[in-house]
């Protein structure tokens, strides 16, 4: 059905052309599910967009052949290509919020492909849309059709995207990181849905992801891409359990595993028993006012946190897991008094904790050099002289695995991993005893993720810094933390040591999360 | 619906505040109208008597509410300079200025929207290049100067219209509109240039977003993607700009009227200011302010129609 042979993609923006995809080969049969794995910048999305005829940019050259059902995608007329797009080849993208037109109703967006490719009247189209919504397990189709994207949840939006992609019953569905922006339980549902679509309609799926474990659970075959090259290809099990290429090996070993840790960690925990308390949170409630207006102070409040109590001990890493919207970030902010309406007691037994945020791209001022950003807290404090500040900046850069050359660089000149290292260095500038890290590795590639986690563990061990580690990713939390708290809808539903929570979970919700995480 | 009601409430409060400030401004400006009317040689008694007659000696708030109520029932007071009712002075002039404003506004839209789309669609085309260059120049020229240029080139050289030959709408409505077209161009050009640039960059910014890729993936043609998806999204900042521009256009009208000898409220405002004819000045300012407030209200409503996310 699909044959891609020697696809090369080059950019001619600069004097020397830059090749982003080298000799990409892909053969797909009808009804097959193939995974395409790689980190950001590996060329996987570019290759897939080329297959869908969607990659066109100034100064770009594509060589090789892409043949889909006898149509030469790279050389055919635009009109011929358009006949395929949405009809035979459909796409689902990563971020369902931004991938849907914010100003158009859901119904319109789902039926758009039908309007373009099929000659159906309004009633027939409506029927198809309702059917498609039911197919992706969205009840209440008539209601959803009249909604706008911002009125739906993330999982619902991705279902809508899939319904829209499947409306013309395409032969090939290309999914570009379709679950990356979603919670684990929703992710599991979407994967199951894709499996069902494949089984019921025989739709072939090209599934692009950075997550090898996820790909393994869905795809029969896998291609691994690294820096524009396919470095490994084969059946999923082969690639996953017996990787031949070094990069694939690194990729597989970078996935944190949910296996019982060895005894050494247990001893660590015992040591920490008699350590001091750093932070004590006692029946904390947090609210957001609803319906504030010019005339009326919002008297209705939405409670985000309910009766949260816990302690953080010196030297420990406390994990906080939960899905988006459960209040875990609000809890982190409340501890730093960044939430306006709270009740309860928060007692700090050390200086104020520092914070590390999820997105290193937007957390650093783009107009300032790294050195300036790093010394800012010291400058504000005003205790140290210029040269003392510089010494400290370099010292902290070295602690996070960078060197003094980085002080002269702007954030845009750094990679994602380097930026997060700078953010960590920034949090270290005031010699904190406690760091609150809010999804610090979620925006990073798996291999980078592993490096950053190792760095944070090292800082914990060597400098004795305690952390509250907030994440939606149970595997990451398991690797990082000594103790875990599971949050749901603003409440802590379960807490305990890693072993207790992960291997004998008591609460249904914890079991469900673990189930979803283990499955994929 | 609750949202619309709230907008209406906000609008009414704004009207009250603005009218109060307009009123207050003329109370605190140094210089007494009674003295101005009688001349500096007038005796103190005479001035006091006139102040009494004009009601200037009563408490501020009372005078304000009296002024406001009578204003809304059409009584805008009596001109200090001419002794006739302000209403009769403005009656024939407000429609002229409003027509000029409206024509300018329509011109801005007619010029900037198609050109903005064209230059965004063919970003590297010849048309976009020429327009882009012209745009910079036009943006920098103030309307009254464009007016002078138009009077000379279109009026005197090409003789498309007779400079100074204003035609009243009472005698020849289409002649009236035709004459207003030229001052309207002068007012509209700089704003249209800005708006075009804004729309262009807004379209180009939207075109990079994910939903555009989705639209292409469904087999839409470039035109369909532009007209069905991008344009509506790209118009949101443009509407904001047009709303804010309106006050400028009204102010621009008042000045350009001078260049084209149009008997709108512009000249009346200027003479009234120099004569300290407060009832006239405050009436004009209040009318302009109310128009701007109403337009802003309409812009807010337009948002509600276009952008479902604002329907909170």
């Amino acid at each position: 059905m699909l044959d891609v042979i020697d696809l090369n993609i080059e950019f001619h923006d600069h004097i020397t052309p830059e090749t982003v995809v080298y000799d990409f080969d892909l053969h797909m049969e009808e009804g097959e599910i193939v995974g395409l794995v790689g980190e950001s910048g590996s060329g996987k999305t570019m290759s897939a967009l080329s297959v869908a005829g969607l990659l066109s940019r100034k100064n770009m050259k594509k060589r090789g052949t892409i043949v889909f059902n006898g149509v030469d995608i790279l050389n055919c007329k635009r009109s011929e290509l358009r006949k395929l797009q949405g009809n035979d080849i459909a796409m689902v993208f990563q971020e369902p919020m931004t991938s849907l037109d914010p100003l158009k109703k859901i119904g319109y967006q789902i039926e758009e492909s039908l309007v373009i490719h099929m000659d159906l009247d309004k009633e027939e189209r409506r029927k198809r849309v309702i059917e498609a919504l039911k197919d992706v397990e969205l009840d209440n189709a008539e209601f959803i059709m009249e909604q706008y994207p911002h009125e739906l949840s993330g999982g619902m939006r991705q279902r809508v995207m899939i319904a829209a992609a499947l409306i013309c019953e395409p032969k090939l569905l290309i999914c570009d990181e379709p679950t990356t922006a979603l919670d684990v339980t929703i992710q599991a549902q979407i994967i199951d849905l894709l499996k069902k679509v494949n089984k019921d309609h025989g739709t072939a799926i090209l599934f692009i992801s950075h997550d090898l474990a996820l790909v393994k659970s869905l795809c029969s075959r896998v291609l691994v891409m690294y820096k524009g090259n396919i470095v490994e290809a084969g059946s999923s099990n082969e690639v996953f359990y017996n990787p031949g290429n070094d990069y694939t090996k690194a990729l597989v070993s970078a996935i944190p595993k949910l296996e019982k840790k060895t005894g050494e960690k247990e001893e660590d925990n015992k040591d920490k028993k008699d350590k001091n308390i750093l932070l004590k949170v006692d029946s904390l409630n947090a609210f957001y006012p609803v319906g504030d207006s010019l005339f009326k102070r919002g008297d209705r409040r939405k409670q985000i946190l309910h009766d949260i109590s816990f302690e953080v001990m010196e030297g420990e890493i406390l994990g906080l897991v939960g899905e988006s919207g459960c209040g875990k970030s609000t809890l982190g902010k409340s501890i730093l008094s960044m939430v306006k309406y709270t009740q309860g007691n928060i007692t700090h037994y050390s200086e104020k904790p520092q914070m590390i945020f999820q997105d290193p791209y937007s957390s650093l001022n783009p107009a300032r050099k790294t050195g300036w950003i790093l010394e800012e807290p010291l400058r504000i404090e005003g205790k140290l002289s210029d040269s003392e500040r510089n010494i400290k900046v370099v010292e902290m850069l070295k602690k996070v695995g960078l060197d003094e050359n980085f002080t002269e660089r702007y954030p845009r000149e750094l990679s994602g991993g380097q930026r997060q290292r700078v953010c960590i260095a920034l949090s270290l500038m005031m010699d904190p005893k406690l760091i609150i890290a809010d999804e610090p590795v979620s925006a990073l590639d798996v291999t980078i993720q592993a490096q950053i986690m190792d760095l944070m563990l090292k800082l914990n061990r060597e400098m004795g810094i305690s952390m509250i580690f907030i994440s939606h990713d149970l595997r990451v939390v398991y690797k990082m933390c000594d103790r875990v708290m599971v949050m749901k809808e603003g409440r802590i539903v379960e807490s305990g040591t890693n072993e207790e929570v992960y291997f004998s979970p008591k609460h249904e919700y914890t079991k469900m999360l673990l189930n979803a995480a283990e499955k994929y | 619906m609750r949202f619309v009601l709230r907008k209406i409430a906000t609008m009414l409060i704004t009207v009250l505040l603005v009218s109060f400030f307009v009123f207050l401004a003329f109370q605190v400006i140094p210089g007494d109208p009674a003295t101005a009317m009688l001349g500096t040689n007038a005796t103190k008694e005479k001035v006091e008597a006139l102040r009494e007659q004009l009601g200037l000696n009563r408490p501020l708030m009372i005078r304000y509410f009296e002024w406001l109520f009578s204003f809304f029932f059409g009584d805008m007071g009596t001109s200090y300079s001419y002794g006739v009712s302000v209403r009769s002075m403005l009656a024939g002039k407000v429609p002229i200025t409003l027509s000029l404003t409206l024509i300018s506004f329509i011109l801005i839209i007619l010029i900037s929207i198609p050109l903005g789309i064209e230059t965004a669609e063919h970003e590297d085309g010849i048309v976009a290049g020429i327009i882009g260059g012209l745009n910079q120049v036009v943006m920098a020229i103030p309307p009254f100067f464009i007016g002078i240029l138009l009077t000379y080139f279109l009026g005197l050289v090409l003789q498309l219209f007779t400079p100074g030959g204003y035609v009243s709408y009472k005698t020849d409505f289409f002649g009236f509109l035709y004459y207003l077209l030229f001052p309207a161009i002068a007012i509209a050009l700089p704003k249209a240039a800005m708006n075009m640039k804004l729309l262009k960059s807004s379209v180009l910014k939207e075109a990079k977003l994910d939903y555009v890729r989705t639209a292409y993936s469904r087999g839409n043609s470039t035109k369909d993607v532009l007209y069905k998806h991008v344009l509506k999204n790209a118009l949101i900042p443009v509407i904001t700009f047009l709303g804010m521009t309106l006050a400028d256009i009204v102010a621009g009208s008042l000045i350009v009227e001078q260049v084209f000898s149009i008997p709108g409220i512009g000249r009346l405002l200027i003479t009234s200011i120099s004569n300290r004819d407060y009832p006239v000045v405050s009436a004009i300012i209040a009318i302009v302010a109310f128009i701007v407030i109403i337009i802003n209200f309409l812009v807010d409503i337009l948002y509600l129609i276009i952008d479902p996310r604002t329907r909170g």
Side-chain angles (χ1 to χ4, degrees):
Chain A
M1 177 187 67
L2 174 71
D3 255 310
V4 185
I5 303 162
D6 286 345
L7 174 69
N8 281 267
I9 303 173
E10 288 167 12
F11 287 124
H12 292 257
D13 295 329
H14 308 287
I15 303 162
T16 45
E18 184 195 2
T19 309
V20 289
V21 173
Y22 298 91
D23 297 339
F24 180 85
D25 287 304
L26 170 66
H27 176 82
M28 271 180 85
E29 298 289 337
E30 277 179 27
E32 213 185 354
I33 308 185
V34 176
L36 188 53
V37 184
E39 8 192 88
S40 48
S42 64
K44 57 188 195 306
T45 298
M46 296 249 178
S47 310
L49 286 175
S50 306
V51 170
L54 287 175
L55 190 66
S56 63
R57 242 190 62 179
K58 254 185 271 173
N59 305 328
M60 190 185 61
K61 262 189 198 153
K62 283 176 283 190
R63 286 184 286 115
T65 44
I66 302 175
V67 180
F68 177 85
N69 277 346
V71 182
D72 181 349
I73 301 258
L74 288 186
N75 299 311
C76 70
K77 276 192 199 141
R78 183 76 208 288
S79 56
E80 218 169 318
L81 191 60
R82 276 176 41 211
K83 275 184 208 147
L84 292 179
Q85 288 171 334
N87 196 11
D88 292 321
I89 305 176
M91 284 206 70
V92 174
F93 299 98
Q94 172 170 352
E95 218 343 304
M97 179 72 224
T98 56
S99 297
L100 291 166
D101 187 334
L103 306 186
K104 289 278 198 290
K105 284 182 181 169
I106 297 299
Y108 176 94
Q109 310 206 37
I110 294 180
E111 71 166 12
E112 189 167 27
S113 296
L114 277 184
V115 175
I116 296 168
H117 299 289
M118 289 183 191
D119 196 19
L120 298 174
D121 65 36
K122 220 177 150 190
E123 246 340 278
E124 287 172 300
R125 285 206 305 264
R126 195 183 153 78
K127 265 187 210 152
R128 289 279 290 263
V129 170
I130 291 173
E131 236 171 80
L133 282 168
K134 287 195 174 136
D135 252 5
V136 294
E137 289 151 17
L138 284 174
D139 305 328
N140 213 348
E142 272 101 348
F143 175 73
I144 288 175
M145 283 171 71
E146 297 298 314
Q147 301 287 101
Y148 290 93
H150 72 279
E151 295 169 309
L152 305 181
S153 71
M156 284 164 93
R157 281 185 214 126
Q158 198 58 299
R159 283 168 195 271
V160 165
M161 276 298 286
I162 294 172
L166 294 175
I167 192 96
C168 290
E169 305 199 328
K171 295 189 177 66
L172 174 62
L173 180 66
I174 301 176
C175 301
D176 189 2
E177 304 257 12
T179 60
T180 309
L182 306 174
D183 282 322
V184 248
T185 50
I186 311 293
Q187 172 170 311
Q189 291 166 13
I190 296 287
I191 296 295
D192 287 341
L193 178 64
L194 288 175
K195 280 182 181 166
K196 191 186 124 209
V197 165
N198 172 260
K199 217 177 101 205
D200 295 355
H201 302 276
T203 315
I205 299 176
L206 179 58
F207 188 88
I208 303 161
S209 177
H210 66 281
D211 188 341
L212 195 53
L214 189 68
V215 167
K216 184 187 133 255
S217 72
L218 177 71
C219 309
S220 50
R221 272 200 304 133
V222 182
L223 306 179
V224 181
M225 283 189 86
Y226 181 62
K227 291 189 175 170
N229 290 292
I230 296 179
V231 292
E232 186 145 3
S235 82
S236 310
N237 283 334
E238 216 173 85
V239 171
F240 196 75
Y241 293 111
N242 193 14
N245 175 276
D246 285 345
Y247 173 71
T248 320
K249 280 180 193 159
L251 204 59
V252 172
S253 65
I255 303 169
K257 305 219 169 23
L258 293 179
E259 289 160 357
K260 281 205 180 187
K261 289 174 187 173
T262 46
E264 133 203 24
K265 196 78 193 178
E266 296 279 331
E267 283 164 31
D268 275 8
N269 282 342
K270 270 175 204 144
D271 284 354
K272 280 166 193 163
K273 282 274 153 61
D274 16 274
K275 291 272 173 71
N276 302 323
I277 298 177
L278 267 187
L279 170 75
K280 194 178 156 82
V281 173
D282 195 17
S283 35
L284 176 71
N285 290 283
F287 311 88
Y288 281 125
V290 184
D292 249 357
S293 72
L294 183 64
F295 313 112
K296 198 174 78 185
R297 184 65 162 273
D299 48 357
R300 289 172 299 143
R301 309 187 291 180
K302 194 175 172 214
Q303 189 158 8
I304 309 292
L305 299 177
H306 301 263
D307 262 334
I308 306 250
S309 301
F310 65 92
E311 289 166 357
V312 182
M313 313 297 281
E314 208 177 317
E316 93 171 325
I317 304 182
L318 174 65
L320 187 57
V321 242
E323 301 193 290
S324 51
C326 75
K328 54 191 194 301
S329 290
T330 306
L331 177 53
K333 284 185 199 156
S334 303
I335 293 169
L336 293 171
S337 326
M338 283 157 76
V339 176
K340 216 171 164 188
Y341 305 98
T342 53
Q343 282 168 6
N345 288 318
I346 299 170
T347 319
H348 293 278
Y349 295 95
S350 68
E351 295 279 299
K352 270 262 170 89
Q354 294 292 312
M355 187 121 189
I356 302 171
F357 297 96
Q358 169 170 2
D359 189 356
Y361 293 91
S362 52
S363 304
L364 298 171
N365 183 347
R368 293 294 186 178
K369 287 178 182 167
T370 305
W372 189 94
I373 295 171
L374 283 176
E375 63 166 346
E376 187 169 27
L378 297 177
R379 208 169 37 240
I380 294 168
E381 192 193 34
K383 278 185 194 160
L384 299 179
S385 71
D386 270 11
S387 55
E388 285 170 319
R389 289 205 300 260
N390 269 328
I391 292 169
K392 180 122 199 197
V393 166
V394 174
E395 184 196 345
M396 290 307 156
L397 277 173
K398 282 182 177 155
K399 277 232 158 64
V400 297
L402 303 173
D403 57 41
E404 63 262 31
N405 297 325
F406 281 86
T407 53
E408 288 301 304
R409 297 202 196 162
Y410 287 99
R412 63 165 180 274
E413 298 170 312
L414 309 177
S415 69
Q418 287 168 342
R419 279 179 224 215
Q420 198 57 299
R421 282 171 196 270
V422 170
C423 290
I424 293 172
L426 181 59
S427 73
L428 296 177
M429 291 311 290
M430 301 299 285
D431 299 316
K433 283 260 186 284
L434 175 64
I435 290 179
I436 299 172
D438 190 359
E439 303 264 9
V441 297
S442 304
L444 306 172
D445 285 319
V446 229
T447 47
I448 310 294
Q449 207 172 54
Q451 291 166 14
I452 297 291
M453 285 194 283
D454 288 339
L455 171 68
M456 292 179 76
L457 283 171
K458 190 183 119 202
L459 294 174
N460 168 251
R461 247 188 345 261
E462 290 176 2
M463 300 172 73
I465 297 173
S466 304
M467 295 180 194
I468 297 177
F469 192 94
I470 303 171
S471 179
H472 70 281
D473 190 332
L474 282 100
R475 291 166 178 278
V476 165
V477 169
Y478 184 76
K479 179 178 174 184
M480 287 297 298
C481 306
D482 310 304
R483 268 195 316 134
V484 194
M485 299 193 296
V486 181
M487 264 185 97
K488 190 195 179 201
E489 287 163 11
R491 292 186 170 83
I492 293 177
V493 294
E494 182 155 8
S495 68
T497 64
N498 263 353
E499 277 68 24
E500 286 165 6
V501 173
Y502 279 78
F503 296 102
S504 43
K506 290 181 187 64
H507 197 277
E508 277 312 307
Y509 182 67
T510 317
K511 286 178 192 165
M512 197 174 84
L513 281 180
L514 280 168
N515 207 353
E518 240 151 55
K519 210 157 138 197
Y520 303 114
Chain B
M1 203 53 221
R2 253 187 67 221
F3 194 75
V4 176
L5 287 177
R6 210 158 67 202
K7 283 276 174 213
I8 292 175
T10 320
M11 181 178 78
L12 290 179
I13 289 177
T14 320
V15 165
L16 273 180
L17 279 176
V18 168
S19 61
F20 182 67
F21 283 124
V22 169
F23 180 80
L24 193 67
F26 290 101
Q27 306 306 313
V28 295
I29 291 175
D32 181 44
T35 321
M37 285 165 84
L38 297 171
T40 37
N41 300 331
T43 61
K44 218 170 176 190
E45 289 73 33
K46 267 192 166 172
V47 173
E48 276 310 313
L50 186 61
R51 284 178 62 87
E52 179 91 39
Q53 191 197 329
L54 294 172
L56 290 173
N57 52 354
R58 286 173 310 137
L60 186 76
M61 288 314 282
I62 292 180
R63 278 186 291 143
Y64 165 64
F65 280 109
E66 262 183 17
W67 174 76
L68 188 69
F69 273 104
S70 45
F71 192 93
F72 278 102
F73 291 106
D75 176 11
M76 301 167 186
T78 309
S79 160
Y80 293 162
S81 317
Y82 302 100
V84 293
S85 80
V86 176
R87 188 183 172 179
S88 66
M89 288 171 74
L90 292 178
K93 295 186 160 65
V94 171
I96 299 173
T97 303
L98 278 188
S99 305
L100 181 58
T101 306
L102 193 68
I103 296 172
S104 312
F105 196 66
I106 293 169
L107 272 182
I108 291 175
I109 293 170
L110 288 182
I111 298 170
S112 63
I113 306 257
L115 284 182
I117 294 170
E118 164 65 26
T119 48
E121 208 179 343
H122 307 286
E123 200 189 344
D124 300 322
I126 305 168
V127 185
I130 297 170
I131 289 174
L134 267 177
N135 208 28
Q136 297 291 344
V137 180
V138 173
M139 246 192 277
I141 309 178
F144 74 88
F145 189 66
I146 298 181
I148 293 170
L149 295 179
L150 288 182
T151 309
Y152 180 73
F153 287 106
L154 298 187
L156 298 178
V157 180
L158 297 175
Q159 306 205 328
L160 289 177
F161 72 106
T162 323
Y166 167 76
V167 186
S168 167
Y169 58 95
K170 284 172 191 146
T171 53
D172 175 5
F173 186 69
F174 290 101
F176 164 74
L177 290 184
Y178 183 73
Y179 186 79
L180 287 191
L181 187 64
F182 298 94
I185 292 173
I187 297 166
L189 273 182
K191 296 289 175 198
M194 289 177 208
N195 197 42
M196 189 204 96
K197 203 172 173 186
L198 179 69
L199 177 62
K200 179 192 168 189
S201 61
S202 177
V203 167
L204 291 177
K205 200 178 115 226
E206 290 293 325
K208 289 195 185 87
L209 297 183
D210 290 350
Y211 71 86
V212 174
R213 194 177 53 182
T214 309
Y216 276 115
S217 81
R218 293 183 185 143
N220 277 300
S221 65
T222 310
K223 275 233 145 47
D224 280 347
V225 172
L226 180 65
Y227 289 102
K228 285 187 191 164
H229 294 280
V230 174
L231 199 55
K232 207 173 166 192
N233 281 284
L235 279 177
I236 293 172
V238 171
I239 291 169
T240 312
F241 177 77
L242 286 177
M244 293 190 305
T245 305
L246 205 94
D248 271 10
I249 303 174
V250 177
S253 303
L254 300 183
I255 295 167
V256 172
E257 276 175 7
Q258 307 301 306
V259 181
F260 287 84
S261 323
I262 294 166
I265 52 179
R267 176 167 295 166
L268 181 62
L269 178 65
I270 291 166
T271 49
S272 304
I273 288 172
S274 48
N275 291 344
R276 291 185 193 286
D277 198 344
Y278 294 164
V280 179
V281 179
S282 53
I284 290 175
I285 292 176
I287 288 171
V288 170
F290 296 154
I291 291 169
V292 171
I293 290 168
I294 288 166
I295 296 286
N296 278 324
F297 170 71
L298 293 178
V299 166
D300 282 343
I301 298 298
L302 200 57
Y303 273 134
L304 291 181
I305 295 169
I306 287 191
D307 191 345
R309 288 166 296 187
T310 55
R311 289 173 212 165

